[in-house]
Amino acid sequence: MAFFLLLCKVGLMQVLKSLLIVFILMVCSTTIAQDLDTYQWKNRVVLLKEASLDSDWLKAQVKRLQSDIGELNERQLLVFIISNDVVYDIEHNETNLSAQIIINEYELANFQGLALIGKDGGVKLKEAFIVNPKTIFELIDSMPIRQEETKNQ
């Protein structure tokens, strides 16, 4: 009854505008701070967590991964850096991913190093820096999903 009275007073167009604004705000708030669900079943993800972007350990790990960019692409691997509650891509561009959600989801609060997240969303490797990219590639290549991918190529 209250909704009907509101409709009569304000008018149908005004109510529809308000509902549209509420809907847009809800959609924007969920896309602004997101977790890694967007990548599940599409990509594997390497998370590099370090307190400072200037860390020598982090720089060395990024350099090693960038030197094998072809191997990363072949295995559909994305690399994200979590530092100071911000998530960056491998080029140090800020992303719209939520560091806090990712840290909580993958239990990275007291961790510094590399975590490999599989296409299924599970943690496959979690080690301190520096991890040889070959170790990551061999681990991925041993996984059933990857073996199926290589069969179908």
Side-chain angles (χ1 to χ4, degrees):
M1 183 70 170
F3 182 73
F4 180 73
L5 290 174
L6 178 67
L7 254 175
C8 292
K9 250 184 180 175
V10 180
L12 179 61
M13 288 307 291
Q14 188 62 33
V15 171
L16 289 175
K17 283 182 188 176
S18 298
L19 288 174
L20 180 61
I21 290 170
V22 169
F23 176 75
I24 289 170
L25 289 173
M26 287 173 54
V27 169
C28 287
S29 69
T30 57
T31 58
I32 288 172
Q34 58 179 282
D35 58 12
L36 298 178
D37 287 349
T38 307
Y39 305 106
Q40 192 168 358
W41 303 114
K42 298 175 197 163
N43 298 97
R44 295 169 183 90
V45 176
V46 169
L47 298 173
L48 306 176
K49 183 165 179 282
E50 181 63 82
S52 171
L53 286 177
D54 293 326
S55 158
D56 290 337
W57 293 106
L58 178 63
K59 288 178 183 178
Q61 186 69 71
V62 168
K63 185 176 180 179
R64 282 187 169 200
L65 291 169
Q66 286 177 322
S67 71
D68 283 318
I69 201 78
E71 299 289 331
L72 294 175
N73 292 335
E74 181 183 324
R75 290 167 181 81
Q76 300 166 323
L77 258 168
L78 300 175
V79 179
F80 294 109
I81 301 164
I82 302 171
S83 181
N84 297 321
D85 291 328
V86 178
V87 181
Y88 303 90
D89 65 18
I90 197 166
E91 301 295 328
H92 295 115
N93 299 308
E94 201 169 316
T95 71
N96 64 344
L97 295 170
S98 168
Q100 205 52 56
I101 291 173
I102 294 169
I103 289 167
N104 291 340
E105 186 172 345
Y106 297 104
E107 300 177 357
L108 302 174
N110 297 314
F111 174 77
Q112 291 191 44
L114 181 146
L116 171 65
I117 311 301
K119 283 189 172 183
D120 62 357
V123 177
K124 307 302 180 188
L125 176 70
K126 198 170 170 183
E127 288 193 21
F129 295 129
I130 295 173
V131 178
N132 187 334
K134 185 176 180 181
T135 302
I136 298 167
F137 303 145
E138 288 174 353
L139 177 61
I140 290 170
D141 291 346
S142 72
M143 296 176 186
I145 291 175
R146 174 66 179 156
Q147 290 174 358
E148 194 62 35
E149 290 169 355
T150 56
K151 277 186 202 174
N152 296 330
Q153 287 179 346

